[in-house]
Amino acid sequence: MTQNQLYEMLKKGPVILDGATGSNLQKVGLKPGICPERWILENEEKLIALQKSFVEAGTNILYAPTFTGNRIKLAEYGLEDSIQEINSSLVKLSKKAAGNRALVAGDLTMTGVALAPIGPMGFEELVDIYKEQATILEQAGCDLFVIETMMSLSETRAALIAIKECSELPVMVSMTFQEDGRTLYGTDPVTAVVVLQSLGADVVGINCSTGPKEMIPMVQLMKEYAEVPLLVKANAGLPQLENGETVFPMGAEEFASYGPAFVEAGAAFLGGCCGTTPDHIRLLHDAVKDMQVLPVKNLHPMMLASERKSQEIRLDGSLVIIGERINPTGKKKLQAELRAGSLDLVEEMAQDQEEKGAHILDINMGVNGIDEKEMMLRAIEKVTMVSSLPLCIDTSHVEVMEAALRAYPGRALINSISLEKEKIDKLLPMVKKYGAMFILLPLSEAGLPKSLEEKISIIHEILDRAEAMGIRRNQIVADGLVSTVAANKKAAIETLETIRYCKEELGICTTVGLSNISFGLPERSYVNGAFVAMAIQNGLSMAIANPSNQLLMGLSFASDLLVNKEEADVSYINQVKRMEPYKPMAEGKKVQPAVKTDGKAENETITEHPPVFQAVVKGNRKGIVSLVENTLKEGITARKILDDMLIPAINEVGRLFDIQEYFLPQLIASATTMEEAIHFLEPMLKDGEDQEVKPVIVIATVEGDIHDIGKNLVALMLRNYGYQVIDLGKDVPADRIIDAAEEYDAAVIALSALMTTTMMKMKDVIDLRNERKLTSKVIIGGAVITQSYADEIGADGYSADASEAVKLVEKLLEK
């Protein structure tokens, strides 16, 4: 099947996908904790009957039950060596059920092992894992692929790259979003569609997540930026417990009633996820069968994206600042750190530039004496953990550029592509493959253009080469190529004319390296400020600049305001606010230092937000121990560092997480930073006479569930607050959990589940606790868990995330 054939189906109206597999097979004997793939192969007739029912209901595309058929998932059951046999057999079963009435999609999902730096999995290792499964699925005869129920954009990219490198079949991709409109890793719907469609997904959308009502606004958001058709597969409402079983309460009629709203919002491929039966699909089909899908928009916005944030760049929009500081050229301190293998200064520069108002961060690791490719990949890893800004990859080496584009969990900007043969021949195909944007640098093999006319000619030639490869103009930003006015008196005039020409004649955005204009002149900031104001008047879209330069930043935003750029008034006010020092909302404490035996204090007070506090807030793991050591030398006790610096800092991180300024990567970075500090202080804390011994908490992912990212973070946060945590791991039976709670006299049992098929195991734990008459409180959490579910099964509390879990434990123990 080709993309054109897939899209041709939409001419008849919405394409209908199937409904739930897992929850329907549970009704006929599939039990949590056993391998679903093996169970299906032992009960072939039950899968075939279900899928035939979906086809009878109007399904056009069946999902083969290969959802957890990757090597990592199968290894949980000792079946990794049977990967070919299992996946091939499952596709054949679905092909048998489909007959000639429906297509079959090979189904891939997350492995359950997180990518570095959060987890142990390397990016290329994950690509190979997905490539292995995809190759088997295509050989078995699937018509297309679907990557579904994804929570990590980085892992989704790995799966998509893997399929694109081993197959030409169409690929549908859907991610799962929480009720706050973001994935577990902090990706919003717009960012998801921007990144995935640029990488070559043929259909992008949402599945699982919530009920249909909550999904409609997400589809609407995606539609504004979608260049491909959209997909939606909602659950039949949020799960509830009835007679000891997890059920999805929304009936088929109510579920189908949302179908027209989905189509009107922009969905073209519709189906059902957890709890949806053939009846749900039948009525959904009937509700939308006479509708036409909305066409894909022809006006494509220019968008860059990180894993957690997208940045639009508009011809008539406000100036976008590319922070230039992460570049070792002329920076001896940064060069020395990179040669020593340290990226602490890079992290600091990234955070500082974001706080100062940069929209994009340029990353350049070009210094002698290091492995630039390795350092670039490490820098991307580090920067993406501490900053949400999209990245501009700046290297003169083609192999470094490809490695960076491949691993970066977003849509990057290439800096840059000139008409030099090696660069344009090798880099344009990378733009096409990885969906990146690029800065068009008007240089040729002959070097700098000798006139404005030659510069314009080079711009046209590169544009023509790019468009011939199918690269659109909304992927291209032209560099005005600024030279110093000290050497060329017409430098500014020629650059301003280039900016005007690109905007008005070619319809492409522009950028410049602002500081080049003043090189060799005294008091350069005046020249730079005047130039940026004139460039904005002529249509400049982006500028590579130092956001710490308050004069330059202030003039840039003020210029936008004066030429009436959209929302420039708000941007100007926000920029003025950013010029003030960073002040977290959580109140700091003035900490009294330790008193010496002679009764004299070493210092009167420490600063309101000391370095240890800031290090935890910013996730500075490598520097935290030395900061703690320095604080101890100032006479401040280990207990005061914990109580008045570390605990307030992690509380501030929790607040930032609650208001969605921080997401999972930052939360993990800060929690691990605090863990390092506590580990260093632990011997000193144990020596204290007034040490409070906190209660024991037993934590586990329930039986049948092999996901543990959220559980691990909760355990880490609880340890940071001083609790004695007994982590039993994942896929833990109820009796083992209760045995541990009894053995360690646990005050709290914390349970996690990510799947609707395993969440009922939480009730087994609660029932067993009650049976044994333990006093331990039980708290539950996970992507599929709600407060109402906690109430139904008799849990003592529910938390949506790790930060909230700590507050919940403290509240329960106070009682």
Side-chain angles (χ1 to χ4, degrees):
M1 186 181 204
T2 65
Q3 181 196 70
N4 286 340
Q5 290 171 325
L6 181 66
Y7 289 174
E8 190 73 19
M9 296 171 68
L10 296 173
K11 291 182 178 180
K12 299 178 181 179
V15 171
I16 303 300
L17 308 172
D18 60 11
T21 298
S23 57
N24 282 307
L25 291 181
Q26 279 188 321
K27 296 175 183 178
V28 292
L30 174 62
K31 302 295 182 185
I34 66 173
C35 177
E37 289 81 12
R38 181 164 58 184
W39 184 90
I40 290 170
L41 293 177
E42 292 170 353
N43 298 271
E44 296 180 1
E45 71 287 351
K46 293 180 179 178
L47 175 81
I48 292 173
L50 173 64
Q51 292 197 323
K52 280 186 174 181
S53 296
F54 280 131
V55 175
E56 292 293 334
T59 289
N60 304 118
I61 300 176
L62 286 172
Y63 286 14
T66 55
F67 182 69
T68 52
N70 61 71
R71 176 170 293 276
I72 300 297
K73 291 274 193 179
L74 291 175
E76 296 283 339
Y77 307 100
L79 295 172
E80 64 271 30
D81 292 338
S82 301
I83 183 171
Q84 179 150 359
E85 177 191 351
I86 288 172
N87 281 274
S88 297
S89 299
L90 293 172
V91 170
K92 289 174 183 176
L93 290 180
S94 291
K95 296 285 282 186
K96 183 176 180 180
N100 59 1
R101 299 175 61 188
L103 301 172
V104 172
D107 194 348
L108 298 85
T109 192
M110 294 177 71
T111 64
V113 179
L115 273 172
I118 293 175
M121 180 78 74
F123 186 81
E124 292 302 331
E125 181 185 1
L126 184 58
V127 170
D128 289 342
I129 287 167
Y130 283 128
K131 196 175 288 187
E132 177 186 35
Q133 187 183 11
T135 300
I136 295 168
L137 293 174
E138 181 169 15
Q139 290 173 348
C142 70
D143 301 293
L144 70 164
F145 290 98
V146 60
I147 304 165
E148 63 153 324
T149 323
M150 302 298 285
M151 289 179 251
S152 162
L153 186 58
S154 187
E155 292 182 40
T156 310
R157 288 184 74 259
L160 185 53
I161 287 171
I163 294 173
K164 288 290 182 180
E165 289 183 345
C166 69
S167 175
E168 295 183 357
L169 294 179
V171 187
M172 305 190 297
V173 184
S174 60
M175 301 193 73
T176 182
F177 298 87
Q178 301 175 114
E179 289 186 77
D180 63 3
R182 289 183 178 269
T183 69
L184 178 65
Y185 286 74
T187 302
D188 63 274
V190 170
T191 297
V193 74
V194 166
V195 172
L196 296 172
Q197 69 188 8
S198 69
L199 195 58
D202 301 287
V203 179
V204 177
I206 309 168
N207 81 288
C208 203
S209 305
T210 62
K213 181 180 179 180
E214 295 83 2
M215 278 190 178
I216 292 170
M218 299 184 202
V219 176
Q220 291 170 330
L221 281 173
M222 281 185 161
K223 185 60 179 174
E224 286 299 308
Y225 297 91
E227 299 174 3
V228 296
L230 297 179
L231 172 159
V232 63
K233 279 188 117 193
N235 293 337
L238 296 173
Q240 297 177 1
L241 193 73
E242 290 183 7
N243 300 320
E245 293 186 0
T246 302
V247 299
F248 290 83
M250 186 174 288
E253 189 171 338
E254 182 183 359
F255 179 85
S257 70
Y258 289 98
F262 276 132
V263 176
E264 290 166 3
F269 292 75
L270 287 80
C273 205
C274 300
T276 56
T277 66
D279 284 341
H280 288 77
I281 300 304
R282 180 177 295 105
L283 293 182
L284 176 66
H285 167 268
D286 293 345
V288 300
K289 65 182 180 181
D290 296 324
M291 299 183 72
Q292 294 298 311
V293 301
L294 298 180
V296 173
K297 292 185 177 180
N298 291 321
L299 296 175
H300 306 299
M302 179 175 283
M303 302 286 288
L304 290 173
S306 67
E307 187 168 18
R308 304 183 296 277
K309 185 176 184 179
S310 50
Q311 174 65 51
E312 187 169 356
I313 304 152
R314 292 173 293 172
L315 273 176
D316 294 311
S318 295
L319 187 69
V320 173
I321 300 296
I322 304 173
E324 69 179 5
R325 293 182 59 202
I326 306 176
N327 186 328
T329 305
K331 299 184 181 75
K332 291 184 179 179
K333 184 177 179 181
L334 179 56
Q335 290 175 10
E337 285 218 5
L338 294 178
R339 289 191 180 107
S342 172
L343 289 165
D344 292 350
L345 188 54
V346 168
E347 291 184 69
E348 182 183 321
M349 286 176 167
Q351 291 172 316
D352 183 65
Q353 290 183 102
E354 182 168 13
E355 289 167 10
K356 295 288 196 309
H359 304 96
I360 299 163
L361 297 177
D362 186 82
I363 308 289
N364 184 306
M365 294 287 109
V367 61
N368 293 330
I370 66 169
D371 182 333
E372 186 180 339
K373 183 167 80 170
E374 180 191 359
M375 195 62 76
M376 177 66 80
L377 293 175
R378 285 184 58 206
I380 289 172
E381 241 182 38
K382 293 289 186 182
V383 171
T384 53
M385 285 290 285
V386 300
S387 172
S388 295
L389 298 184
L391 299 187
C392 175
I393 310 299
D394 187 356
T395 178
S396 57
H397 298 289
V398 171
E399 67 277 7
V400 176
M401 183 64 73
E402 176 153 30
L405 292 176
R406 191 173 177 83
Y408 177 57
R411 189 189 196 195
L413 177 65
I414 293 174
N415 186 7
S416 55
I417 300 179
S418 67
L419 197 53
E420 296 164 288
K421 180 172 175 54
E422 182 182 5
K423 284 197 171 183
I424 195 165
D425 287 351
K426 293 182 178 178
L427 289 177
L428 282 182
M430 289 185 202
V431 173
K432 182 67 175 175
K433 177 176 180 177
Y434 298 107
M437 289 174 54
F438 75 93
I439 294 174
L440 184 162
L441 187 65
L443 295 177
S444 67
E445 294 283 6
L448 288 166
K450 298 177 177 60
S451 65
L452 176 61
E453 292 72 23
E454 185 182 354
K455 186 196 291 187
I456 297 298
S457 174
I458 293 172
I459 290 172
H460 274 280
E461 190 168 350
I462 296 175
L463 272 180
D464 291 344
R465 290 275 300 271
E467 289 183 317
M469 292 185 65
I471 298 168
R472 292 194 294 265
R473 293 194 179 192
N474 72 338
Q475 292 177 252
I476 303 169
V477 181
D479 192 323
L481 201 62
V482 181
S483 59
T484 175
V485 74
N488 175 11
K489 293 182 179 180
K490 292 184 178 180
I493 294 171
E494 290 176 350
T495 300
L496 295 174
E497 173 56 22
T498 303
I499 292 168
R500 185 209 63 79
Y501 181 85
C502 287
K503 179 190 175 185
E504 296 182 6
E505 305 296 329
L506 300 179
I508 60 174
C509 290
T510 51
T511 186
V512 293
L514 281 176
S515 59
N516 294 345
I517 194 70
S518 62
F519 184 78
L521 294 174
E523 301 296 338
R524 296 176 63 186
S525 60
Y526 295 128
V527 180
N528 294 343
F531 180 61
V532 73
M534 297 170 73
I536 288 171
Q537 172 66 26
N538 280 272
L540 182 68
S541 314
M542 308 171 74
I544 301 174
N546 182 355
S548 297
N549 186 326
Q550 292 197 2
L551 175 62
L552 184 64
M553 294 292 285
L555 286 171
S556 299
F557 283 86
S559 298
D560 280 339
L561 176 66
L562 293 174
V563 296
N564 196 28
K565 294 286 184 71
E566 187 178 348
E567 298 182 357
D569 49 354
V570 175
S571 297
Y572 174 75
I573 292 168
N574 289 338
Q575 179 58 29
V576 171
K577 289 179 180 178
R578 274 193 292 262
M579 291 178 181
E580 300 174 358
Y582 171 67
K583 294 179 180 179
M585 289 180 66
E587 290 296 324
K589 295 181 180 180
K590 291 191 174 182
V591 183
Q592 296 299 328
V595 178
K596 291 186 174 181
T597 53
D598 60 5
K600 293 180 181 178
E602 289 192 3
N603 299 296
E604 289 185 3
T605 61
I606 62 171
T607 56
E608 209 176 32
H609 295 297
V612 169
F613 178 98
Q614 294 284 14
V616 173
V617 170
K618 295 185 176 183
N620 181 10
R621 182 178 178 182
K622 283 192 175 179
I624 188 66
V625 171
S626 63
L627 291 173
V628 170
E629 286 179 317
N630 291 338
T631 306
L632 289 167
K633 290 174 184 177
E634 293 172 5
I636 297 170
T637 65
R639 174 56 56 184
K640 287 224 175 257
I641 292 173
L642 176 64
D643 292 343
D644 297 334
M645 297 180 200
L646 296 175
I647 295 295
I650 205 69
N651 286 340
E652 169 66 1
V653 171
R655 183 191 71 80
L656 293 171
F657 183 80
D658 289 342
I659 64 174
Q660 294 194 356
E661 284 190 25
Y662 273 19
F663 299 100
L664 185 65
Q666 292 103 321
L667 189 61
I668 290 175
S670 292
T672 52
T673 299
M674 183 173 176
E675 184 182 38
E676 290 281 331
I678 291 174
H679 180 72
F680 177 77
L681 291 172
E682 202 165 18
M684 291 166 265
L685 292 170
K686 286 181 178 177
D687 289 341
E689 294 179 2
D690 59 344
Q691 182 185 9
E692 176 192 358
V693 178
K694 286 202 168 185
V696 173
I697 298 173
V698 167
I699 189 168
T701 301
V702 296
E703 184 178 7
D705 203 315
I706 58 174
H707 302 88
D708 62 358
I709 295 171
K711 182 267 298 176
N712 291 344
L713 182 55
V714 172
L716 176 57
M717 290 285 282
L718 289 168
R719 286 194 190 99
N720 285 345
Y721 278 84
Y723 292 100
Q724 303 175 69
V725 178
I726 308 299
D727 188 345
L728 301 179
K730 56 190 178 182
D731 189 16
V732 185
D735 56 352
R736 188 178 160 211
I737 295 171
I738 295 302
D739 287 346
E742 201 165 18
E743 177 184 351
Y744 294 102
D745 192 22
V748 175
I749 299 168
L751 303 176
S752 174
L754 193 71
M755 302 186 298
T756 57
T757 53
T758 60
M759 58 193 289
M760 76 281 291
K761 291 295 181 179
M762 292 174 162
K763 188 174 187 301
D764 294 346
V765 177
I766 293 171
D767 290 343
L768 192 54
R769 175 203 63 173
N770 296 340
E771 182 183 318
R772 294 202 193 174
K773 297 181 170 54
L774 298 188
T775 59
S776 308
K777 302 292 185 183
V778 176
I779 65 172
I780 65 174
V784 295
I785 307 303
T786 63
Q787 181 62 59
S788 62
Y789 185 75
D791 296 338
E792 287 173 20
I793 66 174
D796 298 288
Y798 156 77
S799 69
D801 53 61
S803 177
E804 193 176 305
V806 174
K807 298 173 189 175
L808 175 60
V809 168
E810 290 177 340
K811 182 179 178 182
L812 288 173
L813 295 182
E814 280 176 8
K815 293 179 180 179

